[in-house]
Amino acid sequence: MRVRLTRNELLAITDHTEHGFKTKLRRDQWGLAYGGRYTGARAWYGPEDAVAVHLISTLAKAYGGNTAALMTRVFGDVVLAAIAKAEGDCTVDAHFAVVDFIAPDGQRAYLACGAHDATPETIAAELAKSYLVHGFVAERVIMVNISHLIRTVRTNAAQLGIDLTVPFLPAPESDEFLELMSPYAELPGCIVELRNVKQRDAMARKIGARVRARAMGQGGIGHQRRSRSLWAAA
């Protein structure tokens, strides 16, 4: 059975007060899984949303709150893939990496990927595929241990009496996960230029809303405390 969280539970698990949450929301320093940011008092949330909130807090140490939230929303598909990978194999920690690019004229671009893909060879290959960003060079790689964030979410939830031992997402190679993530194929390219990031944010939010609906097993965004997910045992 997939556990759904209330907003109060989500905030408690991510170490946020109501005031702190509203402040971040007002400053555009808030984000959720699936590229979203809306956090209604009567809506339901998944543990992957809690991971996304913790990811923003971690990335903020390098980027500041606004850019950290933007990176988490814009690359929501990569965040979900990293969570699925972490849940699919608990013997090795999974990581989420953001590669910062800079051009000679000072323009910036970003690429998000798993840790094993943040190699010079892979970065060069992505640059070669993205004809609009020729001339960019990788300036730095920011890496976050997603498995550690998942453990933090589970520990915090357990202290509230919430059992999150069920995997947050299906295994990354499973048909369920591939079906869940299929709408993200509409997102263009892997490298996002800073000047195009708002457009990408809007697109990721629209696509993510459809993916969230699938993940939550919705008609609407949930009408019961617990519901059977796409990947729950029959």
Side-chain angles (χ1 to χ4, degrees):
M1 299 289 283
R2 176 171 166 76
V3 177
R4 292 179 175 182
L5 305 171
T6 66
R7 187 175 81 175
N8 287 342
E9 289 169 340
L10 175 67
L11 296 183
I13 290 171
T14 58
D15 302 316
H16 282 81
T17 63
E18 184 74 14
H19 174 73
F21 152 66
K22 289 182 177 178
T23 298
K24 286 189 174 182
L25 188 64
R26 185 175 65 253
R27 294 176 178 173
D28 199 23
Q29 297 175 350
W30 186 258
L32 300 170
Y34 311 100
R37 66 188 299 272
Y38 173 72
T39 314
R42 296 186 178 182
W44 295 100
Y45 304 92
E48 63 273 27
D49 288 311
V51 176
V53 174
H54 276 292
L55 176 60
I56 292 171
S57 297
T58 304
L59 288 174
K61 299 172 185 176
Y63 290 112
N66 294 84
T67 301
L70 191 61
M71 292 296 100
T72 301
R73 297 195 306 262
V74 164
F75 295 115
D77 56 329
V78 183
V79 174
L80 292 172
I83 294 173
K85 183 176 181 180
E87 293 288 76
D89 182 4
C90 297
T91 63
V92 180
D93 281 0
H95 294 76
F96 172 83
V98 179
V99 183
D100 294 1
F101 296 98
I102 189 167
D105 62 359
Q107 287 291 323
R108 292 192 170 275
Y110 302 95
L111 166 70
C113 56
H116 294 299
D117 297 320
T119 64
E121 294 77 15
T122 302
I123 291 169
E126 291 299 333
L127 281 171
K129 289 190 294 184
S130 303
Y131 68 93
L132 293 177
V133 292
H134 282 321
F136 280 75
V137 296
E139 183 180 41
R140 66 174 179 174
V141 179
I142 304 299
M143 202 164 300
V144 178
N145 188 327
I146 290 291
S147 297
H148 171 67
L149 299 185
I150 291 173
R151 290 191 288 267
T152 298
V153 167
R154 285 200 165 103
T155 298
N156 290 356
Q159 292 172 351
L160 297 171
I162 302 171
D163 182 0
L164 294 183
T165 54
V166 173
F168 294 179
L169 289 170
E173 304 300 328
S174 67
D175 291 339
E176 291 91 343
F177 186 72
L178 296 176
E179 179 185 355
L180 176 69
M181 297 289 286
S182 60
Y184 281 116
E186 300 171 23
L187 282 176
C190 296
I191 297 177
V192 180
E193 290 185 79
L194 182 59
R195 60 188 175 185
N196 297 326
V197 76
K198 289 186 177 179
Q199 179 182 357
R200 172 77 172 226
D201 190 21
M203 184 177 295
R205 184 169 60 251
K206 290 179 181 179
I207 294 173
R210 289 156 48 196
V211 180
R212 175 184 289 277
R214 294 183 179 200
M216 299 297 283
Q218 299 171 302
I221 193 160
H223 303 288
Q224 53 188 356
R225 182 65 182 86
R226 293 174 182 267
S227 67
R228 185 171 297 275
S229 70
L230 292 173
W231 51 94

